Amino acid sequence: MNESTVLRAALDKNLKSAVTTACLMLPESFSEEDLFIEIAGLSYSGDFRMVIGEEKAKVLNIVKPNVVHFRELYESILQKDPQMVYKMHQGQLEIDKSPEGQFTQLMTLPRTLQQHINHIMDPPGRNRDVEETLLQVAQDPDCGDVVRLAVSSIVRPSSIRQSTKGLFTAGKTFGNRRLGSTCWTKWPQFCRLKYKAFHLHLSVTVQF
């Protein structure tokens, strides 16, 4: 396979992973906008900058003006998902929330995310394999919360490292100003990107 084919396959895999992860954290029925907000927020789950430096509503500011672009990105995946009922004209979706359905979804998550779920749920000394843990989580009413916690455990260390590096590399005063300005400016800039850049950004940022 040539490089573009490999990249396309990787991007498609990321898009599918984003949908699966988001759906596990949503209720049985939800809107397109709910899904897209969940996907856009994946890279910021557990990011302390979203608490001390950015308004959480900024995720909404990404999604609302770009619903058409999100739909173009994910429409094919949503239509082909055998566990999904996609009422496109109504902008509504339903996902299988049975233990069997959730187990299937959990088994398709990126390996790194599965391992974080296992680490959260596996009692000390048990050393259960990942599949056994995911089977337990699939039957748990708090399955979505467990997935969200696992996503946060991946995002949080990275966000702290990035912000700390910015603060200390440039000096305390400049670092604080840089952190603040980044919080206020990056989303408007992002929303002005062309469709291809938008596609690439989303695909890369949801990879675990």
Side-chain angles (χ1 to χ4, degrees), residues 49-70:
R49 293 171 296 180
M50 292 297 286
V51 178
I52 68 169
E54 296 179 353
E55 296 178 4
K56 296 179 183 180
K58 291 206 170 204
V59 173
L60 293 177
N61 293 337
I62 277 190
V63 174
K64 287 184 177 295
N66 292 290
V67 169
V68 172
H69 293 311
F70 274 94

Side-chain angles (χ1 to χ4, degrees), residues 12-30:
D12 287 344
K13 184 177 181 181
N14 274 345
L15 293 175
K16 291 176 183 177
S17 295
V19 169
T20 302
T21 305
C23 286
L24 282 163
M25 297 189 292
L26 287 164
E28 184 176 3
S29 300
F30 48 92

Side-chain angles (χ1 to χ4, degrees), residues 102-103 124 128 198 203:
Q102 293 194 136
F103 180 64
R128 293 186 301 183
F198 181 83
S203 301

